[in-house]
Amino acid sequence: MHRKLLTIVCTGLLLLNGCSVNIGTGNLDIAPVNEPVVMQPLLTNYENYWEAMRHFDFDYINRQEIGPEYREFTRGLQLLLDDNYAAAEPLFMTLFETTGDTLLHRQAAEILWIIYTRQDKWKEQVELNARAPRGFDEYNTVNMAAAFAGAQPEKYNFPEQPVTLPAKLSMSGTPMVEVMVNGIRKQFWIDTGAELTVLSSELAKECGVDVISADAAKVGTATDIVINMWPGVIKDFRIGNLQIENHPTIILDKKDLEVKLFKIIRILKVDGIIGWNAIRNLDMALDYKNLSVTIAKPQPKPVGHRNFHFATQPIVSLSDTLGKPLYFFLDTGANTTSLYDPILMKIDTSEAKSGNALVGGAGGTQRFKTTEIPELSVILGQNRINYKKISARGDGETGFFYLDGMLGSDIAKNGTLILDFQNGRCDLKIAE
């Protein structure tokens, strides 16, 4: 399936086993890493240059005869993962405007779209869509960019000191905090899997958040269900003492923010979500053990290695215990960590078995066939996460790249998840 290039997504998911919701940590344990893991080259035998790039095998250009334009494209991808858009944007624009290679032209346009998404360059997205081959408008998502391009500019007003708020956990284990939407008090999820802040249609009406374009766009969810969305702007959005003016949001029909079992029993209802477009601008600590959320204005810090990236979705780079690089989508709206099929080429699957899971998300639930891995260990920062049982499903395609898995909220149930995207760090602090 061709991906949606403006992936304003609500991908938080619920893994349902039978009729129960798995929010525990019984399938994993976490221990500190005693010795640093030395990163190793990927060295997977991909069929061609594009397969290698989409699976983060940038060393491919050192093992094969690759032309200068393709080497520039690879350098641009590395700049993208380093959040160096000042260098990446002109590089990809030059390739887009000068290459005679049709595929390279198309892929350069896709990466430019990601770069514009990261920087909220709505006008540039509309202009790029008009110039790109076949456009990006399969799901009418350019309409969203056009609507936001005409809105008032967003502004963050940070308090002088960090804000610590009491938190709750939703039924799916997602942190929830109190917010103010145009002066009305509500409880919102904190969900990195939602690219933009989300409101239900019912809440938007109550809080005076108008749809700024009646032409609906489509959005993918944690399942294969596609639902409608409309753009809106919250004039005054407050999280504690933090005020965000003119905050872009998407509005979903209230029925699409309900998860029902067997399409009858409502097990989960979401009124609103603090999305990635807000989270990425904050220094945030999600303390699952003590049920609190601390928010501060990001300050430049010396960072030896950036492990927090953006390419359509927030991506965390990890490794296995031997130093083989892995790339996981970070979704705090998901109650459990899961894998995607590309990782099966990198890990021992000799003991793998077939299984199935019922997955719930915006729009409803769906049953999937899975591959069950009896054990897996990954390294995140200074911690080793050991899974006793973990499942894989789906091709992991997210924008240009294919990912190895998805990190859910289960990794932090006994500690604090640190999200500092401006400094490129996603870390775990485990309670003693």
Side-chain angles (χ1 to χ4, degrees):
M1 178 184 293
H2 181 71
R3 74 178 181 86
K4 297 169 282 298
L5 289 169
L6 182 60
T7 41
I8 303 177
V9 293
C10 177
T11 55
L13 64 88
L14 207 57
L15 292 182
L16 308 179
N17 300 306
C19 296
S20 63
V21 182
N22 176 15
I23 60 174
T25 57
N27 70 322
L28 65 83
D29 61 77
I30 301 175
V33 176
N34 295 323
E35 297 182 3
V37 176
V38 179
M39 297 300 292
Q40 304 295 326
L42 196 55
L43 298 180
T44 304
N45 293 320
Y46 293 108
E47 293 182 3
N48 55 53
Y49 170 84
W50 292 111
E51 282 297 299
M53 294 304 104
R54 298 185 77 182
H55 289 85
F56 301 91
D57 185 7
F58 302 140
D59 186 65
Y60 181 90
I61 65 172
N62 298 320
R63 307 193 305 269
Q64 304 290 335
E65 290 291 332
I66 302 296
E69 284 188 330
Y70 279 46
R71 289 183 177 275
E72 273 293 276
F73 190 94
T74 303
R75 186 170 72 88
L77 293 180
Q78 293 170 313
L79 292 171
L80 175 72
L81 294 183
D82 286 339
D83 206 41
N84 186 352
Y85 294 106
E89 184 176 332
L91 184 154
F92 284 108
M93 180 54 73
T94 298
L95 287 174
F96 175 72
E97 293 179 334
T98 63
T99 185
D101 185 318
T102 303
L103 182 55
L104 186 63
H105 179 73
R106 177 70 182 181
Q107 302 292 14
E110 292 204 12
I111 302 301
L112 279 171
W113 189 277
I114 293 172
I115 291 171
Y116 293 152
T117 300
R118 163 67 180 86
Q119 301 175 91
D120 292 341
K121 290 188 173 182
W122 311 113
K123 181 181 178 181
E124 287 83 350
Q125 285 183 322
V126 175
E127 294 172 349
L128 179 65
N129 178 72
R131 298 177 62 190
R134 301 192 305 278
F136 293 129
D137 210 12
E138 181 182 355
Y139 292 93
N140 197 29
T141 49
V142 171
N143 173 67
M144 303 289 289
F148 291 132
Q152 293 295 313
E154 186 179 29
K155 182 181 179 183
Y156 282 72
N157 300 309
F158 285 94
E160 293 184 2
Q161 299 297 324
V163 178
T164 298
L165 304 171
K168 299 178 181 179
L169 294 181
S170 73
M171 185 181 179
S172 69
T174 304
M176 301 187 302
V177 294
E178 188 175 270
V179 302
M180 300 284 282
V181 181
N182 291 335
I184 298 178
R185 201 177 307 274
K186 292 293 177 181
Q187 286 278 336
F188 272 35
W189 287 25
I190 300 175
D191 185 357
T192 57
E195 191 172 331
L196 292 186
T197 291
V198 178
L199 302 181
S200 71
S201 54
E202 185 178 56
L203 186 144
K205 183 177 180 180
E206 178 186 353
C207 297
V209 180
D210 296 328
V211 170
I212 58 176
S213 173
D215 194 8
K218 302 292 184 180
V219 60
T221 71
T223 63
D224 289 335
I225 299 169
V226 177
I227 60 178
N228 289 328
M229 62 178 178
W230 294 266
V233 174
I234 304 174
K235 292 181 180 179
D236 185 356
F237 187 51
R238 300 189 184 223
I239 311 170
N241 293 332
L242 166 67
Q243 181 198 33
I244 310 175
E245 300 178 40
N246 304 315
H247 184 51
T249 183
I250 59 172
I251 299 170
L252 304 182
D253 192 297
K254 65 176 183 178
K255 67 177 174 54
D256 289 327
L257 284 172
E258 297 177 351
V259 177
K260 292 184 178 181
L261 192 60
F262 309 122
K263 299 182 180 180
I264 300 173
I265 305 168
R266 191 177 79 181
I267 59 176
L268 199 63
K269 178 177 180 290
V270 183
D271 286 325
I273 296 170
I274 301 172
W276 176 246
N277 63 323
I279 297 169
R280 74 186 186 205
N281 293 313
L282 311 176
D283 184 347
M284 177 179 284
L286 306 176
D287 188 337
Y288 288 76
K289 187 174 181 62
N290 297 304
L291 293 180
S292 68
V293 174
T294 300
I295 296 170
K297 182 178 182 179
Q299 301 294 335
K301 302 172 187 175
V303 177
H305 169 68
R306 186 180 187 97
N307 76 338
F308 207 5
H309 324 279
F310 177 80
T312 304
Q313 297 172 337
I315 298 173
V316 178
S317 51
L318 310 93
S319 76
D320 66 7
T321 55
L322 299 177
K324 184 178 296 181
L326 303 171
Y327 295 87
F328 278 49
F329 162 41
L330 177 69
D331 188 357
T332 58
N335 68 320
T336 56
T337 297
S338 59
L339 305 177
Y340 297 131
D341 290 345
I343 201 174
L344 301 179
M345 297 177 61
K346 305 175 184 178
I347 62 175
D348 181 7
T349 59
S350 59
E351 301 296 325
K353 298 180 180 179
S354 297
N356 61 77
L358 188 64
V359 177
T365 58
Q366 187 173 358
R367 188 170 295 279
F368 292 91
K369 292 189 178 299
T370 62
T371 301
E372 304 293 337
I373 308 300
E375 59 182 8
L376 176 71
S377 294
V378 297
I379 307 297
L380 172 58
Q382 300 301 311
N383 293 288
R384 172 173 170 160
I385 307 172
N386 305 303
Y387 295 94
K388 299 175 184 176
K389 183 180 179 181
I390 190 167
S391 63
R393 71 167 182 89
D395 61 13
E397 183 182 8
T398 173
F400 176 82
F401 293 106
Y402 284 92
L403 302 181
D404 296 303
M406 178 189 65
L407 287 176
S409 284
D410 54 343
I411 62 172
K413 283 298 190 296
N414 291 323
T416 301
L417 183 62
I418 308 296
L419 305 179
D420 183 7
F421 181 74
Q422 299 298 318
N423 287 298
R425 292 302 307 175
C426 173
D427 289 305
L428 275 176
K429 183 178 180 183
I430 303 303
E432 294 183 359

